[in-house]
Amino acid sequence: MTPNASALADATALLRDTATRIAVVGASNDPSKYGNIIVKNLLRHGYEVFPVNPKGGTIAGVPAFRSLADVPKPVHIVDVVTPPGATREVLKDAAAAGLDLVWLQDGSFDREVLLQAEAAPFKTVHHACIMVVARQARSEPRP
């Protein structure tokens, strides 16, 4: 499976604007986990971030939502940092919510997940890190 260049271009354009709303599914309070690192990184860049964790509570000082369906819309990007088994459910939830763009972080997908994402009604980014792309997008001059 090759990355979808169109999806990455769309995601990069969204990341140029700090008004972009990003749900991070698999968010965590464990500072050693990417579900925590990504939330904090995106908050530092100024995005509106919605941590999603079935335990709820707060993550990085931000209220966490128990499911993707609970996150207030609009959501421009769903960033996924769950293991592949859980990611399959996240893809179903994103499709049911009518969301447009899902970003699969390394470790969140396997071949089966990528096949499911390819058939989904939304664009999917994979084989790219949202933190790296956000940093680049925020430092690029606007067109």
Side-chain angles (χ1 to χ4, degrees):
M1 311 255 97
T2 58
N4 181 334
S6 168
L8 182 57
D10 289 352
T12 302
L14 285 168
L15 290 170
R16 287 189 184 104
D17 185 354
T18 56
T20 295
R21 297 164 53 103
I22 305 169
V24 179
V25 182
S28 170
N29 273 316
D30 182 340
S32 70
K33 295 193 176 231
Y34 279 102
N36 183 273
I37 295 165
I38 290 170
V39 168
K40 288 179 179 176
N41 179 278
L42 295 174
L43 287 169
R44 274 194 307 274
H45 280 291
Y47 301 106
E48 190 168 2
V49 179
F50 301 91
V52 178
N53 183 297
K55 295 176 186 171
T58 61
I59 295 173
V62 179
F65 295 86
R66 294 183 185 276
S67 73
L68 190 54
D70 295 337
V71 176
K73 307 301 181 272
V75 173
H76 302 109
I77 298 173
V78 177
D79 187 59
V80 183
V81 291
T82 58
T87 301
R88 290 188 249 298
E89 292 306 311
V90 174
L91 295 181
K92 290 176 190 173
D93 294 346
L99 301 176
D100 293 328
L101 197 143
V102 173
W103 194 305
L104 301 173
Q105 293 293 142
D106 283 354
S108 70
F109 59 88
D110 57 16
R111 181 170 171 69
E112 186 179 326
V113 166
L114 293 179
L115 288 171
Q116 183 181 344
E118 197 171 273
F122 47 75
K123 292 185 177 186
T124 307
V125 174
H126 55 88
H127 291 100
C129 177
I130 195 168
M131 294 185 294
V132 172
V133 176
R135 182 182 68 239
Q136 293 167 342
R138 299 292 299 140
S139 65
E140 292 174 359
R142 290 180 180 246

